[in-house]
Amino acid sequence: MSSTTPFTAHSTLTPYGWDEDWADAFAPYAAEGLLPGRVVRVDRGQCDVVTSDGTLRADTAFVTPQDPLRVVCTGDWVAVEPDGTPRYVRTYLPRRTAFVRSTSSKRSEGQILAANVDHAIVAVSLAAELDLARIERFLALAWESGAQPLVVLTKADLVPDPVTLAHLVQDVETAAPGVTVLSVSAEHGEGLDVLAAVVSGGTAVLLGQSGAGKSTLANALLGEDVMDVQAIRDVDGKGRHTTTTRNLLAMPGGGVLIDTPGLRGVGLWDAGTGVGQVFAEIEELGRDCRFHDCAHESEPGCAVLAAIDSGELPERRLESYRKLMRENQRIVAKTDARLRAEIRKEWKRRGAIGKAAMEAKRGRVR
């Protein structure tokens, strides 16, 4: 056996995020003669894994649990067989972070998009009108994943007036407390140096709708035309899917980038904490409400409603908060019987209050 540690023995993986903590987690598998590697692409039950022996094609048949959140995904660190035809991934190491959304199926399963991500870049095109509610939705999932969100307003060259651009950035900052908002033009190279500096040295996942300019942005960060780029429709700023799989690639300035397909549907998946972080000011105001379980609808002594009346809180923010909280509650309730019972109890309570108020009103009319 070599006297080198698992970390130094696989230092060629350092550009992909390999460090001493990953080496310690991998130690039991190293003793079995397995190779560490990072998954750079997954498709049809197989994956490409970058290892100290090069990039290998491996089968994931040994890691096929019933839980769709536990399948091998791009960004995972795995233990792979050193030889064999085919090679197999034996397991993946515990994830530090995981970006998960709900599927569009009626079963409401979770779908993992990327693992072990440090920065979640939400790409938003300035070629179309800003959809702040959609940005808030992406940010909720990003916060819930454990990664640090970052909003990048692409195609800034389409907004030549600096005052208008500054107002757009400010609008997004209002909807994204605690999140850095950058405007960039991959076409002209503006703002890319700042973005590259922010995400260097870690793993960044690139998220956004089709037509958000993700592939162009990815090419700019990678320093080469790795991703195909398609023209968007002039009518609504939307585009077709350019990226069809999630790919992990090393950036020349350090760090790695995971590009994802354009996401038409972005359903929440047990993202209550993430929603709370997106709407941190509402959560903070809620602590001053008279009732600890205040729904911020019509309760007396509601600090949130008072903030809306005073103009301190935009009504749009509260409406978006309510919508995402209701959606998340529905998703969680489908897999949590106790929560379903609590929701039914709360519905009955509110129904009784409404009925009592209606009867009191009728009594006054008589």
Side-chain angles (χ1 to χ4, degrees):
M1 288 290 291
S2 169
S3 61
T4 57
T5 66
F7 175 65
T8 56
H10 302 289
S11 58
T12 53
L13 294 176
T14 302
Y16 291 89
W18 183 254
D19 57 29
E20 292 186 4
D21 289 335
W22 286 122
D24 290 341
F26 189 80
Y29 306 106
E32 297 177 22
L34 298 175
L35 279 176
R38 193 162 195 194
V39 178
V40 297
R41 177 188 173 97
V42 178
D43 60 274
R44 298 185 179 89
Q46 294 190 316
C47 62
D48 294 335
V49 184
V50 60
T51 72
S52 55
D53 288 351
T55 301
L56 311 176
R57 187 72 169 167
D59 197 300
T60 63
F62 277 97
V63 194
T64 55
Q66 294 296 318
D67 185 352
L69 297 181
R70 298 178 61 190
V71 299
V72 172
C73 76
T74 303
D76 272 329
W77 283 99
V78 298
V80 65
E81 294 175 341
D83 49 37
T85 305
R87 296 174 190 253
Y88 287 95
V89 170
R90 289 292 178 176
T91 188
Y92 63 81
L93 301 185
R95 293 160 177 159
R96 294 177 182 175
T97 62
F99 193 95
V100 179
R101 69 166 177 174
S102 67
T103 65
S104 57
S105 70
K106 293 182 179 180
R107 291 178 295 178
S108 298
E109 296 177 334
Q111 177 189 20
I112 184 163
L113 299 180
N116 303 312
V117 173
D118 301 298
H119 302 280
I121 304 172
V122 179
V124 181
S125 172
L126 290 175
E129 184 177 354
L130 287 177
D131 185 343
L132 297 178
R134 179 168 287 273
I135 294 173
E136 289 162 345
R137 178 180 291 274
F138 269 108
L139 290 175
L141 293 178
W143 278 122
E144 190 68 34
S145 75
Q148 173 64 46
L150 172 69
V151 178
V152 175
L153 302 179
T154 65
K155 308 178 185 180
D157 52 287
L158 299 180
V159 187
D161 179 26
V163 175
T164 301
L165 181 59
H167 284 155
L168 291 171
V169 171
Q170 187 176 32
D171 287 344
V172 176
E173 287 175 339
T174 301
V179 175
T180 299
V181 180
L182 301 175
S183 60
V184 306
S185 170
E187 189 76 19
H188 298 159
E190 297 171 358
L192 291 174
D193 54 342
V194 177
L195 174 59
V198 171
V199 300
S200 65
T203 298
V205 62
L206 193 51
L207 308 160
Q209 287 183 285
S210 299
K214 294 191 300 85
S215 294
T216 302
L217 185 60
N219 286 335
L221 289 171
L222 295 167
E224 55 183 320
D225 291 339
V226 177
M227 307 297 174
D228 292 331
V229 178
Q230 294 177 348
I232 62 170
R233 299 195 298 251
D234 293 332
V235 177
D236 54 11
K238 294 180 180 178
R240 293 170 294 172
H241 289 296
T242 299
T243 305
T244 56
T245 58
R246 287 171 282 280
N247 302 281
L248 183 149
L249 298 160
M251 293 184 286
V256 293
L257 180 69
I258 300 176
D259 193 18
T260 64
L263 302 175
R264 291 192 180 95
V266 193
L268 299 186
W269 178 259
D270 196 5
T273 300
V275 173
Q277 286 183 271
V278 174
F279 299 93
E281 79 277 33
I282 296 178
E283 298 270 306
E284 183 67 26
L285 286 166
R287 296 188 181 97
D288 294 328
C289 290
R290 181 182 300 177
F291 304 108
H292 75 278
D293 59 347
C294 184
H296 317 313
E297 292 179 350
S298 59
E299 297 88 343
C302 176
V304 174
L305 295 179
I308 287 180
D309 291 339
S310 68
E312 177 187 352
L313 178 69
E315 189 169 359
R316 187 206 67 79
R317 285 281 285 171
L318 179 58
E319 290 175 355
S320 185
Y321 172 75
R322 286 170 175 162
K323 180 179 180 180
L324 292 181
M325 287 297 283
R326 284 195 300 266
E327 177 185 330
N328 190 67
Q329 194 176 49
R330 285 196 300 270
I331 289 294
V332 175
K334 288 183 178 181
T335 56
D336 190 327
R338 180 185 60 80
L339 181 59
R340 285 198 299 272
E342 290 179 357
I343 291 173
R344 283 195 295 268
K345 183 178 179 180
E346 178 64 13
W347 284 345
K348 290 180 180 179
R349 183 184 74 84
R350 293 188 184 182
I353 292 174
K355 183 178 180 181
M358 183 61 69
E359 290 177 349
K361 183 177 179 180
R362 288 174 179 171
R364 288 194 298 271
V365 172
R366 292 172 186 164

